Amino acid sequence: MNVPDRSLEATLHKAPKADKDDPDHVAAPMPGKVSNVAVSKGQAVKEGERLLSIEAMKMETAVYSPRAAKVKDVLVKIGSSVSAGDLLVMLEG
């Protein structure tokens, strides 16, 4: 008789998706693994400043700030696996 171990089910983390209509949301442009995070919560960033890098199949893609703002929150860390459209960084101001 097989008894499922229900304690293992809660480990799957579903990443929030970025709202394309929200200018404060910075989304993952492609699936991959976060290889570098260059900003932290509360930091002021300029338009075009690198926020983080994503690596997939030996290629690295940088994600840049779409505008000058303050980093409200960083939702990923180095080693996080992301899908295209996942919310990575929230901006404010």
Side-chain angles (χ1 to χ4, degrees):
M1 178 172 166
N2 286 339
V3 178
D5 185 354
R6 303 236 184 260
S7 68
L8 299 176
E9 291 180 351
T11 60
L12 182 61
H13 175 68
K14 192 81 167 148
K17 294 292 183 186
D19 181 354
K20 292 175 185 161
D21 297 326
D22 189 337
D24 290 340
H25 285 193
V26 179
M30 65 179 202
K33 189 169 275 195
V34 176
S35 60
N36 180 290
V37 177
V39 296
S40 57
K41 186 175 180 174
Q43 181 177 337
V45 293
K46 298 175 188 151
E47 181 177 349
E49 187 172 338
R50 187 169 60 91
L51 301 174
L52 54 91
S53 298
I54 298 173
E55 194 175 272
M57 299 186 306
K58 308 261 183 209
M59 293 180 7
E60 189 171 63
T61 299
V63 178
Y64 299 98
S65 179
R67 61 186 172 81
K70 184 175 168 185
V71 177
K72 182 177 181 179
D73 202 4
V74 179
L75 286 85
V76 293
K77 59 185 179 201
I78 294 174
S80 297
S81 291
V82 297
S83 298
D86 281 1
L87 180 59
L88 304 174
V89 177
M90 292 178 68
L91 304 174
E92 65 183 351

